[in-house]
Amino acid sequence: MPIKAAVMGLGNIGRYAIEALEIQPDFTCVGVIRRKESLGKDTHDLRGVPEYASLADLEAVSGKPDVVLLCAPSRKIPEVAGDLLGKGYNTVDSFDIHTGIVDLRRTLDATAKEHKAVSIISAGWDPGSDSIVRTMLEAIAPKGITYTNFG
Protein backbone atom coordinates (compact mmCIF):
# COMPACT_ATOMS: atom_id res chain seq x y z
CA MET A 1 0.00 0.00 0.00
CA PRO A 2 1.59 3.32 -1.04
CA ILE A 3 2.42 6.03 1.48
CA LYS A 4 -0.18 8.81 1.29
CA ALA A 5 1.52 12.20 1.05
CA ALA A 6 -0.05 15.65 1.08
CA VAL A 7 1.82 18.69 -0.18
CA MET A 8 1.29 22.00 1.61
CA GLY A 9 2.12 24.88 -0.73
CA LEU A 10 2.55 25.16 -4.49
CA GLY A 11 5.62 27.32 -4.92
CA ASN A 12 8.76 25.99 -6.57
CA ILE A 13 9.32 23.41 -3.85
CA GLY A 14 5.71 22.24 -3.92
CA ARG A 15 5.75 21.84 -7.70
CA TYR A 16 8.89 19.70 -7.58
CA ALA A 17 7.59 17.73 -4.60
CA ILE A 18 4.51 16.75 -6.64
CA GLU A 19 6.72 15.78 -9.57
CA ALA A 20 8.95 13.65 -7.32
CA LEU A 21 5.98 11.94 -5.65
CA GLU A 22 4.35 10.99 -8.94
CA ILE A 23 7.38 8.96 -10.05
CA GLN A 24 7.80 7.11 -6.75
CA PRO A 25 5.99 3.75 -6.83
CA ASP A 26 5.69 3.63 -3.02
CA PHE A 27 4.05 7.08 -2.68
CA THR A 28 0.81 8.64 -3.79
CA CYS A 29 0.12 12.37 -3.64
CA VAL A 30 -3.41 12.64 -2.23
CA GLY A 31 -3.64 16.41 -2.59
CA VAL A 32 -2.18 19.87 -2.32
CA ILE A 33 -3.23 22.31 0.39
CA ARG A 34 -3.25 25.91 -0.86
CA ARG A 35 -4.51 29.29 0.24
CA LYS A 36 -8.18 29.79 -0.70
CA GLU A 37 -7.31 32.67 -3.02
CA SER A 38 -4.91 30.41 -4.96
CA LEU A 39 -7.38 27.61 -5.65
CA GLY A 40 -7.97 27.12 -9.35
CA LYS A 41 -4.84 29.05 -10.38
CA ASP A 42 -1.77 27.43 -11.94
CA THR A 43 -3.62 24.13 -12.24
CA HIS A 44 -1.05 22.86 -14.77
CA ASP A 45 1.48 22.80 -11.90
CA LEU A 46 -0.78 20.43 -9.95
CA ARG A 47 -0.20 17.67 -12.53
CA GLY A 48 -3.74 16.39 -11.98
CA VAL A 49 -3.45 16.28 -8.17
CA PRO A 50 -6.55 17.63 -6.40
CA GLU A 51 -6.22 20.90 -4.46
CA TYR A 52 -7.81 21.83 -1.15
CA ALA A 53 -8.10 24.93 1.00
CA SER A 54 -7.35 23.01 4.19
CA LEU A 55 -6.02 19.74 5.50
CA ALA A 56 -9.51 19.01 6.89
CA ASP A 57 -10.97 19.34 3.36
CA LEU A 58 -8.33 16.93 2.01
CA GLU A 59 -9.01 14.44 4.82
CA ALA A 60 -12.74 14.50 4.12
CA VAL A 61 -11.97 13.06 0.67
CA SER A 62 -8.77 11.02 1.10
CA GLY A 63 -8.45 10.34 4.82
CA LYS A 64 -5.48 11.32 6.96
CA PRO A 65 -2.23 11.47 4.98
CA ASP A 66 0.75 9.50 6.27
CA VAL A 67 2.99 12.54 5.81
CA VAL A 68 2.63 16.22 5.01
CA LEU A 69 5.39 17.79 2.91
CA LEU A 70 5.72 21.40 4.07
CA CYS A 71 6.53 23.46 1.00
CA ALA A 72 5.85 26.84 2.60
CA PRO A 73 8.41 29.61 3.13
CA SER A 74 11.02 28.70 5.76
CA ARG A 75 9.96 31.47 8.13
CA LYS A 76 6.54 29.77 8.45
CA ILE A 77 7.85 26.24 9.03
CA PRO A 78 8.32 26.40 12.83
CA GLU A 79 4.70 27.39 13.42
CA VAL A 80 3.11 25.18 10.75
CA ALA A 81 5.21 22.10 11.56
CA GLY A 82 4.70 22.56 15.28
CA ASP A 83 0.93 22.78 14.82
CA LEU A 84 0.77 19.69 12.59
CA LEU A 85 3.09 17.62 14.79
CA GLY A 86 0.95 18.61 17.76
CA LYS A 87 -2.00 17.01 15.96
CA GLY A 88 -0.04 13.82 15.26
CA TYR A 89 0.89 14.42 11.61
CA ASN A 90 4.30 13.38 10.30
CA THR A 91 6.06 16.24 8.50
CA VAL A 92 8.97 16.81 6.12
CA ASP A 93 10.24 20.31 5.40
CA SER A 94 13.06 22.08 3.61
CA PHE A 95 13.73 24.73 6.27
CA ASP A 96 16.83 26.58 5.07
CA ILE A 97 17.61 29.25 7.65
CA HIS A 98 20.96 27.79 8.65
CA THR A 99 21.27 29.71 11.92
CA GLY A 100 17.87 28.41 13.08
CA ILE A 101 18.20 24.71 12.27
CA VAL A 102 19.49 23.56 15.67
CA ASP A 103 16.72 25.40 17.55
CA LEU A 104 14.08 24.16 15.10
CA ARG A 105 15.28 20.57 15.50
CA ARG A 106 15.18 20.83 19.27
CA THR A 107 11.66 22.29 19.29
CA LEU A 108 10.10 20.04 16.65
CA ASP A 109 11.79 16.93 18.03
CA ALA A 110 10.18 17.47 21.42
CA THR A 111 6.76 18.12 19.88
CA ALA A 112 7.03 15.11 17.57
CA LYS A 113 8.00 12.76 20.40
CA GLU A 114 5.22 14.06 22.63
CA HIS A 115 2.60 13.39 19.93
CA LYS A 116 4.16 10.20 18.51
CA ALA A 117 4.89 11.78 15.14
CA VAL A 118 7.98 12.17 12.95
CA SER A 119 9.56 15.44 11.89
CA ILE A 120 12.21 15.49 9.16
CA ILE A 121 13.69 18.96 8.83
CA SER A 122 15.90 20.74 6.30
CA ALA A 123 15.47 17.98 3.72
CA GLY A 124 16.24 20.06 0.68
CA TRP A 125 19.18 21.15 -1.41
CA ASP A 126 20.98 23.44 1.02
CA PRO A 127 20.85 22.45 3.75
CA GLY A 128 20.41 18.92 2.57
CA SER A 129 22.00 17.21 -0.41
CA ASP A 130 24.35 20.10 -1.17
CA SER A 131 25.52 20.15 2.45
CA ILE A 132 26.39 16.43 2.29
CA VAL A 133 28.31 16.81 -0.98
CA ARG A 134 30.16 19.87 0.36
CA THR A 135 31.12 17.98 3.54
CA MET A 136 32.36 14.98 1.55
CA LEU A 137 34.49 17.21 -0.70
CA GLU A 138 35.93 19.01 2.32
CA ALA A 139 36.86 15.61 3.80
CA ILE A 140 38.55 14.58 0.55
CA ALA A 141 40.40 17.89 0.08
CA PRO A 142 40.58 19.50 3.55
CA LYS A 143 42.95 22.25 2.43
CA GLY A 144 40.98 23.12 -0.70
CA ILE A 145 38.62 26.03 -1.19
CA THR A 146 34.95 25.13 -0.95
CA TYR A 147 32.11 27.38 -1.94
CA THR A 148 28.67 26.87 -3.40
CA ASN A 149 27.20 28.74 -6.35
CA PHE A 150 23.42 28.87 -6.17
CA GLY A 151 23.04 30.39 -9.65
Side-chain angles (χ1 to χ4, degrees), residues 13 73-75 93-99 101 122 126-127:
I13 296 169
S74 281
R75 67 186 175 281
D93 69 62
S94 60
F95 184 82
D96 66 353
I97 301 171
H98 292 247
T99 57
I101 291 172
S122 300
D126 187 18

Side-chain angles (χ1 to χ4, degrees), residues 20-101:
L21 288 169
E22 78 178 352
I23 62 172
Q24 299 303 319
D26 54 346
F27 276 87
T28 184
C29 186
V30 293
V32 177
I33 298 106
R34 304 179 69 188
R35 295 182 310 253
K36 282 185 182 182
E37 63 269 15
S38 297
L39 295 175
K41 297 179 183 173
D42 301 319
T43 55
H44 59 283
D45 293 326
L46 292 166
R47 306 174 77 87
V49 175
E51 60 182 338
Y52 302 94
S54 70
L55 195 50
D57 292 347
L58 179 145
E59 284 188 34
V61 175
S62 301
K64 183 177 179 178
D66 298 311
V67 63
V68 180
L69 306 182
L70 304 179
C71 302
S74 281
R75 67 186 175 281
K76 293 185 177 189
I77 296 299
E79 178 185 345
V80 173
D83 180 55
L84 291 174
L85 290 166
K87 295 175 181 172
Y89 291 95
N90 300 312
T91 64
V92 176
D93 69 62
S94 60
F95 184 82
D96 66 353
I97 301 171
H98 292 247
T99 57
I101 291 172

Side-chain angles (χ1 to χ4, degrees), residues 102-132:
V102 173
D103 289 336
L104 180 68
R105 182 193 176 280
R106 196 173 290 125
T107 301
L108 296 184
D109 183 56
T111 304
K113 285 177 179 174
E114 179 182 347
H115 298 279
K116 298 188 179 1
V118 174
S119 173
I120 298 174
I121 69 165
S122 300
W125 174 246
D126 187 18
S129 305
D130 185 56
S131 304
I132 293 167

